[in-house]
Amino acid sequence: MAAPGVKAVFFDLDNTLVDTAAAGRRRHGSCCRLQVVKALRCRHRCGEGQARDICEKVQAKLLKECHDPARTCITELRISHWEEAIQETIGGEANRSLAAECYFLWKTTRLRHLTLAEETRGMLTELRKAVRLLLLTNGDRQTQREKIEACACQPYFDAIVVGGEQKEEKPAPSIFHYCCDLLGVQPAECVMVGDSLDTDIQGGLNAGLKATVWLNKTMATPADSSPVPHYVISSVLDLPAVLRKMEHKINAKLGNDHTVSSNEAH
């Protein structure tokens, strides 16, 4: 399944292997909000409209979130989101304990919906028979480790690297080179798979990896200024086909090189 010269594949986590975005919208996202709304109504006598407004305001704050782990931990920051949303909606004094209750209920409900699909597990299992696999994810250490634990993906990888635990995150070449060192491989022997052109693809290009594979689920047209991946797929399950395509290209090149060498010898 692996192309000649490919010894390792690096995978992004969020919205590549695990549909993190879905946990915050549609059925799963509604479930998270429903649990919080129910708690606010039953235990704290909030009106349903107010409770839903609080959840919507928190979601808006999450989308604009800027976290500096050197200044505050992610838990305190997100409890503050809930605290502010509650105060903005129902007024009165700040209620940190209520905000904490809402946050932990929201988080635990959301984590329950983070799963590694059975088909993805199967693909990773087969891939690992041919190459080494590494999970490379940006983000806060605590947040990402909780997601990794929740989706139980550890057994499918030879190594897991969280950007928040390193000096630099993707797209810095240093974190990719650190991953290579962990696996005992060279950048030119690795493939990066991810959904972000700015971090996954640009990072793989910066680090000189053999190939980058962009997961573009909607097959959207990127901006002209975006980095250009070597391959584009609409599902992570298409990766084995990409590796076979790489293998055919390399074998064809080797065949052509051999033919040229034979002709020159004559």
Side-chain angles (χ1 to χ4, degrees), residues 12-23 25-26 114-117 120 193-197 200 213-222 231-238:
D12 173 53
L13 177 66
D14 294 302
N15 303 312
T16 297
L17 289 178
V18 175
D19 196 356
T20 316
R25 65 173 190 267
R26 297 196 306 270
L114 289 181
T115 58
L116 194 60
T120 303
V193 183
D195 71 300
S196 171
L197 287 171
D200 301 316
V213 182
W214 181 36
L215 175 58
N216 181 6
K217 293 179 183 179
T218 63
M219 296 309 286
T221 303
Y231 300 93
V232 181
I233 54 178
S234 60
S235 165
V236 74
L237 300 177
D238 295 335

Side-chain angles (χ1 to χ4, degrees), residues 55-89:
C55 292
E56 291 301 323
K57 286 177 181 177
V58 168
Q59 189 61 37
K61 292 176 188 296
L62 288 170
L63 292 174
K64 298 176 183 177
E65 184 176 85
C66 185
H67 175 233
D68 180 359
R71 299 182 63 183
T72 183
C73 78
I74 193 72
T75 297
E76 291 303 312
L77 176 63
R78 291 189 170 171
I79 290 174
S80 293
H81 292 335
W82 285 95
E83 187 175 27
E84 291 167 6
I86 292 167
Q87 198 167 21
E88 289 166 7
T89 303

Side-chain angles (χ1 to χ4, degrees), residues 178-200:
Y178 172 75
C179 293
C180 292
D181 291 342
L182 269 183
L183 298 184
V185 295
Q186 297 299 313
E189 298 171 325
C190 301
V191 174
M192 178 70 211
V193 183
D195 71 300
S196 171
L197 287 171
D198 294 333
T199 58
D200 301 316

